[in-house]
Amino acid sequence: MGVSEKGGPQHATALLGEVERAAAAAGGWDAVGRIAVGVGPGSFTGLRIGIATAKALALSRGLPLSGAGTLDALARGLAEAAGGRPCLAVLDARRGEVAAALHAASGERLWGPDLSSPEALGERIAELPDVALCGGSGAVRFRRQLTNEAVEIPDDADPVHRVAARHICALATGGDAGESGPVAPIYLRPPDAERWRERDSLQAAE
């Protein structure tokens, strides 16, 4: 189950509609054995709505629930086209920043998820020992800052740049088939409300 960066009641309603259509395409709820949800990194509101919806569905349907990292799912898709190379998953984190994680050809996460400027990530990429396949919304938006001899970034239209629900599901189905897995959102920056409170406190102290 994917979530977008937008939130609010309309988004929650649209999400439930998409879930119902996905369940119908799978043969109905009787054919569904588990609820899988992406846990980020992502926006505070988008993750909160997506995870809350997944928990409510799992409870109402009596199904186990598991989460999977968005960067891990993106890297899994990249691995299908990487030909045994490392995979660098990069998401556009807004505000001129990117969220990134590097995975080995085996699928093991080598580092991340980290939040940085595209320029800082570009410097880190230049130090990679092996050429990596790089993809994701961040790789598309900041192609110029990230491009160097240590990575290959496919064309913008290449499907490796999109997070696929099937990769979320594949990552979430590990372990005991009858048990729920950990579902905790991955936030790489504090919610806006928390930052605003901190800003207001500092201004009041001045």
Side-chain angles (χ1 to χ4, degrees):
M1 179 190 303
V3 296
S4 75
E5 292 296 310
K6 298 181 180 179
Q10 291 182 338
H11 175 64
T13 301
L15 178 58
L16 284 171
E18 290 295 332
V19 170
E20 290 295 339
R21 282 188 284 274
W29 280 105
D30 289 342
V32 177
R34 176 179 295 269
I35 301 292
V37 62
V39 297
S43 72
F44 177 80
T45 302
L47 289 177
R48 178 175 56 82
I49 290 175
I51 292 174
T53 301
K55 287 182 175 179
L57 284 169
L59 182 62
S60 65
R61 296 288 177 175
L63 293 170
L65 170 68
S66 296
T70 308
L71 287 167
D72 294 336
L74 183 58
R76 189 180 181 95
L78 284 165
E80 295 177 353
R85 290 174 291 170
C87 298
L88 180 64
V90 186
L91 294 174
D92 180 3
R94 310 296 176 87
R95 301 176 189 168
E97 294 181 312
V98 292
L102 179 67
H103 291 71
S106 63
E108 176 189 2
R109 191 192 305 157
L110 300 177
W111 52 256
D114 293 335
L115 184 69
S116 69
S117 68
E119 292 78 11
L121 179 59
E123 293 176 1
R124 193 171 188 180
I125 288 173
E127 299 175 354
L128 295 178
D130 300 304
V131 176
L133 183 64
C134 178
S137 58
V140 171
R141 180 178 179 184
F142 298 106
R143 176 184 294 273
R144 180 178 60 80
Q145 292 91 331
L146 302 182
T147 297
N148 60 52
E149 295 180 352
V151 294
E152 175 195 347
I153 303 177
D155 293 340
D156 291 1
D158 197 298
V160 298
H161 295 300
R162 297 190 292 273
V163 179
R166 63 188 179 92
H167 294 137
I168 293 282
C169 292
L171 290 169
T173 52
D176 192 324
E179 297 292 333
S180 291
V183 180
I186 301 173
Y187 299 127
L188 297 184
R189 64 165 67 99
D192 287 340
E194 183 177 323
R195 294 190 303 110
W196 293 336
R197 284 195 299 269
E198 182 179 349
R199 179 200 61 190
D200 293 343
S201 297
L202 290 173
Q203 290 177 346
E206 292 177 353

